[in-house]
Amino acid sequence: MTCPAGFTLMPSGQAKSPPQRLLVTGGAGFIGSHTCLVLLEAGRELVVLDDFSNSCGESLRRVVELAGGDAAERLLVLEGDVREAKDLEQAFEAFGPGGSIEAVVHFAGLKAVGESVAEPLRYWDVNVGGTVRLLEAMAAHGCRTLVFSSSATVYGMPERVPIPETAPIQPINPYGQTKVAEEHLLADLRAADDGRGRSGWRLACLRYFNPVGAHPSGRIGEDPLGVPSNLFPLISQVALGRRDCLPVFGDDWPTADGTGERDFIHVMDLAEGHLAALDHLHQGEPQLLTLNLGSGQGHTVRQVVAAYEEASGQSVPVRVEARREGDAARSVADPDAAARSLGWCCRRGLVEMCRDSWHWQRQNPEGYRT
Ligand code: UD1
């Protein structure tokens, strides 16, 4: 493992009390980097463990720059794999003796639906295997607080919207299966607590709806490898002139204008949801919390295109194509449980999502390689 230049390890003993010391796996990615920024701004000390297979260190350099102050001293970046015991060991020992990690935010994992159909073994190994190894390391180090990245994909084809957490769990692809398996694993850990008493896991499964947007500075954002498959990165590339037009996958869905409807959530709202979940777990009793993180508002593909054109001043030509296999007509969160238990809700709307996405894309047409 290496520590990329520009980051330092805070020597143990010099730490100011009491910022919580956290391990963030996959912290260099899209949601991870925005969450690291929110956590640094909240005064936390972070060790990021990332294998940089789908991200790069530049995102974290910019996170440090945005957080300012002494943020560089509160962020240590380790290149490593959550499936490797020695990499986890180094992460848990990063603050030195007596500087133990109090909680983990676990983003590391694979997330491309199509790829998961082609390579199920890799998805089960990285996602489920990685989470098992991580939980073993946590147990060994007496760290029992975890915020886990789940996904609305666990609902598969929802029968109705908005979707409460109690809706049927029916994943329809290997990626979704791995998320459900990881949720079951956390439920089993929690149940073992109840049976035997005292081990005291504090666990949160956060089911993200459709994370989009970027930090309003335009310095950090979503940087997909290769050809994007999600709506927002594609729209922004069309607005930028890198693609001719946006394929719209069906305009005969049972929605307001016939195009697919989704619950888009600004990545900064999502990042703040992680801080709220950590604080809630920290203060509360051992528990397993399973929450939707979404806005509760649905927007169709055509509505998003119109809002993006307005925000960017660019035209986004579309071409209607056949429905994409595996798509649902509508996916919208019931966000009430998160509001009740975390006191958190989305503060940014579609206008901010489009504005910030455009800002990032225009300033970084080639992502972090710009
Ligand atoms: C997808 C994943 C989901 C994952 C999420 C991450 C699938 C089936 N689902 O959700 O598991 O958690 O990304 O954000 O891949 N659309 C177009 N044209 C395009 C791209 C998308 O019309 O070129 C439409 C889709 O049909 C859909 C909507 O835009 O109605 C959103 O699509 P997308 O951004 O890919 O997200 P999801 O499919 O909801």
Side-chain angles (χ1 to χ4, degrees), residues 122-366:
R122 189 158 76 93
Y123 270 68
W124 279 84
D125 181 34
V126 173
N127 290 1
V128 181
T131 300
V132 171
R133 298 283 92 78
L134 174 66
L135 288 163
E136 286 169 351
M138 289 177 68
H141 289 86
C143 173
R144 291 194 168 77
T145 302
L146 175 76
V147 173
F148 168 66
S149 298
S150 189
S151 167
T153 199
V154 300
Y155 300 118
M157 300 286 188
E159 279 150 26
R160 57 184 68 85
V161 297
I163 309 169
E165 288 82 354
T166 50
I169 299 304
Q170 42 196 16
I172 57 166
N173 52 60
Y175 164 65
Q177 299 281 10
T178 64
K179 288 291 159 191
V180 172
E182 290 168 283
E183 287 201 1
H184 283 150
L185 172 57
L186 299 184
D188 286 349
L189 268 185
R190 176 67 198 128
D193 267 4
D194 289 344
R196 288 203 215 110
R198 307 284 78 90
S199 58
W201 289 94
R202 291 174 163 79
L203 306 163
C205 291
L206 304 182
R207 294 176 179 164
Y208 312 152
F209 278 66
N210 289 59
V212 299
H215 187 266
S217 66
R219 295 291 292 153
I220 56 173
E222 185 170 13
D223 185 16
L225 271 185
V227 181
S229 57
N230 293 125
L231 184 66
F232 260 73
L234 279 164
I235 291 182
S236 53
Q237 292 192 359
V238 175
L240 206 59
R242 285 178 60 191
R243 285 171 199 284
D244 294 342
C245 75
L246 174 82
V248 171
F249 297 138
D251 64 353
D252 55 353
W253 295 99
T255 61
D257 60 20
T259 62
E261 181 181 342
R262 294 290 182 275
D263 183 332
F264 297 97
I265 172 171
H266 195 293
V267 66
M268 291 304 296
D269 281 325
L270 189 56
E272 289 166 9
H274 289 75
L275 177 61
L278 275 169
D279 287 350
H280 180 83
L281 289 178
H282 192 61
Q283 288 151 16
E285 291 299 307
Q287 61 184 301
L288 168 61
L289 198 59
T290 300
L291 296 173
N292 288 337
L293 292 191
S295 70
Q297 301 287 315
H299 294 286
T300 66
V301 172
R302 283 200 192 279
Q303 287 167 348
V304 174
V305 169
Y308 210 100
E309 289 186 320
E310 176 76 23
S312 65
Q314 308 295 311
S315 84
V316 177
V318 302
R319 183 182 60 236
V320 176
E321 295 191 358
R323 291 180 179 189
R324 182 172 67 179
E325 198 183 335
D327 271 352
R330 308 175 73 196
S331 169
V332 180
D334 177 342
D336 285 358
R340 272 196 314 276
S341 54
L342 305 182
W344 167 92
C345 65
C346 290
R347 298 187 292 135
R348 300 157 180 94
L350 186 61
V351 170
E352 286 95 337
M353 297 180 212
C354 294
R355 181 198 65 196
D356 296 337
S357 163
W358 174 240
H359 202 185
W360 153 255
Q361 190 70 61
R362 200 185 35 175
Q363 285 182 45
N364 305 273
E366 308 285 340

